[in-house]
Amino acid sequence: MELNLKKPIIFFDLETTGTDISKDRIVEICYIKVYPDGRETEYTKRINPGMHIPEVASAVHGIYDDDVKDCPMFKDVAKEIANEFAGCDVAGFNSNRFDLPLLAEEFLRAQVDIDLSRLDAIDVQVLYHKREPRTLSAAYRFYCGKELENAHSALADTRATYEVLKAQLDHYSDMENDMALLSKESSFTNNVDFAGRIVYDESGREVFNFGKYKGMPVDAVLDRDPGYYGWMMNGDFSLNTKQVLTRIKLRGIKR
């Protein structure tokens, strides 16, 4: 089944130096941009992360320091990539928990103003795990009847993710071919920030999702304990979490 698109959708995958959203960096980004009329464009760019690529990471994706030493840094291509993502829906495999938060961090470090949280984000892994808990290779075999060649190659994984989503729509009669609805079904939690440190409660209010104030409204905590804001801003939290926290704090000041 072809996707019912009201706007372009970008299927993307990142290869990185590791799995720490706050500290690790992109070494390769690949995306397939699919337009409502069915046209597709592909983009693959290797990135110099500005740090050593750990051997354990290179063993997974096959990209080593020498492969990217002459490549641009993310800040050099950030505006180009942001322009491509602007106004699109996005999709990936485990993207809501990893790729999207890490990409958001890279944009913030590059001081490029794009709010990825406003995009409808479809995580094909979440859809798959809610229906058939397995890996991308198993999903590709189950839904598409094919073996995934070159797993952990960004382009191969991205192409497989795109094909799996279309096959999922064919496979499940109750899965709506609507990007906004698929985005909602892709979410396990109702995060305010990508890392899930702040979430919406049942009434739609932002509450902390960790620590001594877990479950308490963020604005109320900041009023009651102003030092907590400074502790978080100086702590080992993602830039996106700090950005969301600051937005809530400023909103309270303006009231």
Side-chain angles (χ1 to χ4, degrees):
M1 181 184 295
E2 293 303 315
L3 302 183
N4 179 21
L5 300 178
K6 298 179 178 66
K7 64 180 76 169
I9 184 170
I10 290 180
F11 290 81
F12 78 106
D13 185 62
L14 306 178
E15 303 301 342
T16 66
T17 59
T19 58
D20 189 319
I21 292 168
S22 299
K23 298 178 180 178
D24 281 305
R25 301 290 189 269
I26 296 172
V27 298
E28 185 176 70
I29 180 171
C30 173
Y31 62 77
I32 300 169
K33 190 170 186 178
V34 185
Y35 295 84
D37 63 5
R39 290 183 297 119
E40 300 176 13
T41 58
E42 293 182 0
Y43 176 98
T44 300
K45 178 75 74 175
R46 286 196 170 174
I47 306 292
N48 183 338
M51 62 181 288
H52 170 60
I53 304 173
E55 285 70 17
V56 65
S58 294
V60 173
H61 50 56
I63 302 172
Y64 295 83
D65 290 341
D66 284 347
D67 298 323
V68 295
K69 64 182 181 181
D70 297 322
C71 293
M73 301 189 75
F74 186 81
K75 65 181 180 180
D76 300 320
V77 296
K79 288 185 179 179
E80 173 190 355
I81 295 172
N83 288 338
E84 286 294 310
F85 274 67
C88 298
D89 296 327
V90 294
F93 199 85
N94 194 34
S95 49
N96 285 1
R97 292 183 176 182
F98 180 69
D99 299 82
L100 202 57
L102 197 148
L103 183 60
E105 288 295 292
E106 290 279 35
F107 279 129
L108 286 168
R109 279 189 286 266
Q111 298 184 326
V112 170
D113 185 19
I114 179 172
D115 188 355
L116 296 177
S117 67
R118 293 182 178 274
L119 309 182
D120 279 334
I122 300 162
D123 192 325
V124 175
Q125 185 192 60
V126 174
L127 297 176
Y128 180 43
H129 283 184
K130 283 186 173 182
R131 311 267 180 158
E132 310 285 346
R134 287 186 178 86
T135 63
L136 176 58
S137 295
Y140 197 56
R141 186 182 308 114
F142 181 87
Y143 290 110
C144 303
K146 305 175 185 177
E147 293 297 325
L148 178 55
E149 303 292 338
N150 299 318
H152 298 299
S153 157
L155 182 56
D157 287 357
T158 303
R159 173 64 63 181
T161 299
Y162 173 33
E163 291 184 24
V164 166
L165 179 57
K166 293 195 292 183
Q168 284 176 326
L169 290 166
D170 285 324
H171 189 83
Y172 300 110
S173 60
D174 62 337
M175 183 178 283
E176 293 287 340
N177 192 353
D178 179 276
M179 301 305 111
L181 294 177
L182 289 173
S183 175
K184 290 181 180 179
E185 190 172 350
S186 293
S187 177
F188 275 118
T189 59
N190 201 10
N191 292 356
V192 181
D193 65 323
F194 285 121
R197 296 289 191 169
I198 301 171
V199 298
Y200 293 107
D201 65 13
E202 293 180 354
S203 65
R205 192 173 185 182
E206 298 111 332
V207 300
F208 284 112
N209 194 35
F210 74 100
K212 64 180 180 179
Y213 292 126
K214 184 173 182 178
M216 294 185 61
V218 175
D219 53 0
V221 170
L222 296 181
D223 286 341
R224 168 182 161 183
D225 185 359
Y228 201 68
Y229 172 80
W231 174 78
M232 286 191 65
M233 294 302 290
N234 291 319
D236 191 21
F237 295 94
S238 71
L239 294 175
N240 174 250
T241 298
K242 294 175 182 179
Q243 181 185 51
V244 169
L245 183 68
T246 299
R247 188 183 304 137
I248 296 171
K249 180 179 175 63
L250 291 175
R251 190 179 65 208
I253 293 173
K254 293 177 182 178
R255 285 202 301 264

